[in-house]
Amino acid sequence: MNLFNVNLALIGVVTVLAVISPGPDFAIVFRNGLRYGRKMGLATAFGVAGGVVVHITYALLGLSYVVAEYAWVLIAVRYAGAVYLLWLGVSAFLPRKSVEDQAESCADAVYVSFGEAFRNGFLCNALNPKTMLFFVALFTQVVTPGTSLALKLSIGAFISLTHLVWFAFIVFVLTDQRTAKMVARWRKGVEKVVGVCLFGLGAKLALDV
């Protein structure tokens, strides 16, 4: 196996391991799937995949060099991401209208829009400096200047689709009828636990040196 194929295999393995590792993306997809149902969970998964496209775009445009050379860019993204995660964590404890209350008022049982759920996933990923560092490392160390644009786009599509497939799988498992029955009794408690996790991730992001 030549060095080129080794690099492609490395990209695949590293991407899969990075995607399945629990983190902010997993937490927000889990929360929205649990709270709002399958459709909004999938919207969040699409948002995460969309956030990946942002990282791919600046990497392809050569802006990964700017990110690597100017520390303040990462610092700004880090604090913006931290604030967003803190807000998501706090929101788990804010009062909200339940599905039952909305059903009684003849409102739709889905009480968040597709766009809002998509935005949750998109911002969670796009404002994650660790994801940014992942792409900086990938496109400056593994993908060489001689790599064709078509291959770069293929690599980017693979990474984005890997995110989408994994988190869509999580949503389908979470919203399966049997799973839903198992978690229904503890749904509110689980939401709060996830909220605490999101808040903790935000705090850790803000305090990391």
Side-chain angles (χ1 to χ4, degrees):
M1 183 180 290
N2 59 37
L3 182 61
F4 177 77
N5 290 330
V6 169
N7 283 346
L8 288 181
L10 180 62
I11 290 171
V13 172
V14 170
T15 297
V16 171
L17 291 176
V19 171
I20 66 176
S21 299
D25 292 337
F26 179 87
I28 191 60
V29 170
F30 187 92
R31 188 202 73 163
N32 281 7
L34 182 66
R35 176 180 285 190
Y36 305 124
R38 178 170 292 179
K39 182 178 179 181
M40 296 306 114
L42 290 175
T44 310
F46 273 102
V48 170
V52 171
V53 173
V54 172
H55 300 295
I56 295 168
T57 301
Y58 68 66
L60 291 177
L61 293 175
L63 297 182
S64 56
Y65 171 82
V66 175
V67 174
E69 292 296 320
Y70 296 95
W72 67 267
V73 176
L74 276 177
I75 292 172
V77 172
R78 187 181 79 187
Y79 284 115
V83 169
Y84 187 66
L85 288 175
L86 289 169
W87 161 247
L88 289 175
V90 170
S91 67
F93 295 87
L94 297 178
R96 60 187 177 85
K97 186 175 284 188
S98 66
V99 176
E100 292 79 7
D101 292 338
Q102 291 213 6
E104 289 175 2
S105 62
C106 299
D108 195 306
V110 176
Y111 43 93
V112 67
S113 71
F114 187 95
E116 289 172 325
F118 179 91
R119 185 170 64 249
N120 284 161
F122 179 83
L123 291 177
C124 191
N125 184 276
L127 294 177
N128 188 345
K130 291 184 178 180
T131 305
M132 182 177 287
L133 285 172
F134 171 79
F135 277 90
V136 169
L138 182 67
F139 279 84
T140 57
Q141 302 297 324
V142 179
V143 179
T144 66
T147 304
S148 68
L149 178 60
L151 183 57
K152 290 179 181 178
L153 290 174
S154 298
I155 292 171
F158 169 77
I159 297 172
S160 182
L161 286 173
T162 301
H163 280 76
L164 178 59
V165 170
W166 171 249
F167 290 118
F169 169 75
I170 295 298
V171 170
F172 274 99
V173 171
L174 182 64
T175 56
D176 177 77
Q177 187 174 7
R178 290 167 295 182
T179 307
K181 287 180 179 179
M182 290 174 58
V183 301
R185 186 181 305 175
W186 303 287
R187 182 175 60 83
K188 291 184 179 179
V190 172
E191 285 181 13
K192 288 180 169 54
V193 170
V194 175
V196 170
C197 291
L198 286 166
F199 189 90
L201 287 167
K204 183 178 183 300
L205 194 59
L207 296 175
D208 274 348
V209 179

